[in-house]
Amino acid sequence: MLSVYFQGVAMGAALILPLGPQNAFVMNQGVRRQYHLMTAALCTLSDILLICGGIFGGSALLSQSVLLLNLVTWAGVAFLLWYGWGALRTAFSGDVQLAAAGAMKQSRWRIIVTMIAVTWLNPHVYIDTFVLLGSLGGQLPEEARRWFAFGSISTSIVWFFGLAMLAAWLAPVLNTPRAQRIINLLVGGVMWVIALKLAMQALHFY
């Protein structure tokens, strides 16, 4: 079962390591040192639910509900465009530090809502967990399936908390005006590129 566990770890790492909306948001909160551990915990919890849902039967639900996937896709496109615009506006602000300070005044509930949107309105999350992980883990015997899921979950726990704490540790270096401008350009660019890809995929489907 140990080999199955490490298969889950490797598969989880392959899906979670590329920079996407979730990682960009966790990194941003870490740099701001604003509820970054809470953000990492909520992202991890979301991943646990999605991984278990995909491996233990969610892939069949997704394949039968194309309309639901399309609704999530366009909601995700709209949200990513809006979030990316906010980051780019901060990056091009005349006083980037003042703009970043204003962004840091977000309430805990607004951060929670944003995290939920970044995670659950991203169709790639469902493709990764329900289709890819689900198709691999779902073929395993019941006991092996649990170990595979545990391996993928372990990757999420280590990655999100590690990313949040590393970003917070580097905050004194990354909180300079130049670094803040680069980070916001990176976050805004990632959000808009992913939104464009999602929109093109949805239009191609039609």
Side-chain angles (χ1 to χ4, degrees):
M1 291 302 171
L2 198 58
S3 63
V4 176
Y5 169 79
F6 283 112
Q7 286 175 23
V9 169
M11 192 64 190
L15 297 176
I16 202 173
L17 290 181
L19 184 60
Q22 230 183 0
N23 289 338
F25 184 67
V26 172
M27 181 185 70
N28 218 17
Q29 294 306 122
V31 171
R32 294 173 179 176
R33 290 181 174 176
Q34 186 185 30
Y35 300 118
H36 55 290
L37 293 180
M38 178 196 74
T39 303
L42 290 173
C43 284
T44 302
L45 178 60
S46 294
D47 260 26
I48 290 172
L49 295 174
L50 288 163
I51 289 168
C52 291
I55 293 176
F56 297 104
S59 55
L61 175 65
L62 185 64
S63 63
Q64 294 171 5
S65 184
V66 178
L67 177 61
L68 178 61
L69 183 59
N70 282 329
L71 289 174
V72 171
T73 297
W74 287 110
V77 168
F79 174 78
L80 291 173
L81 288 174
W82 171 80
Y83 191 87
W85 166 248
L88 292 173
R89 186 175 59 183
T90 299
F92 289 110
S93 170
D95 190 341
V96 68
Q97 279 191 311
L98 184 62
M104 287 179 68
K105 294 179 182 178
Q106 298 178 76
S107 69
R108 179 183 301 183
W109 286 108
R110 183 173 180 181
I111 292 170
I112 291 172
V113 170
T114 304
M115 187 286 307
I116 291 172
V118 163
T119 301
W120 294 88
L121 290 182
N122 180 10
H124 284 166
V125 168
Y126 300 98
I127 293 170
D128 288 348
T129 55
F130 280 32
V131 177
L132 298 177
L133 284 178
S135 62
L136 290 172
Q139 298 173 8
L140 298 171
E142 186 174 349
E143 183 65 21
R145 200 181 306 173
R146 293 195 192 100
W147 282 95
F148 184 82
F150 183 49
S152 299
I153 289 169
S154 299
T155 302
S156 293
I157 294 171
V158 172
W159 173 252
F160 284 126
F161 279 97
L163 180 62
M165 289 188 288
L166 179 62
W169 181 60
L170 293 173
V173 178
L174 299 177
N175 266 329
T176 63
R178 183 180 179 184
Q180 281 294 305
R181 202 178 299 276
I182 292 172
I183 289 170
N184 279 285
L185 281 171
L186 177 65
V187 170
V190 166
M191 298 298 179
W192 276 20
V193 167
I194 294 174
L196 179 62
K197 286 183 178 180
L198 290 177
M200 290 177 66
Q201 288 172 5
L203 291 172
H204 180 71
F205 176 80
Y206 291 115

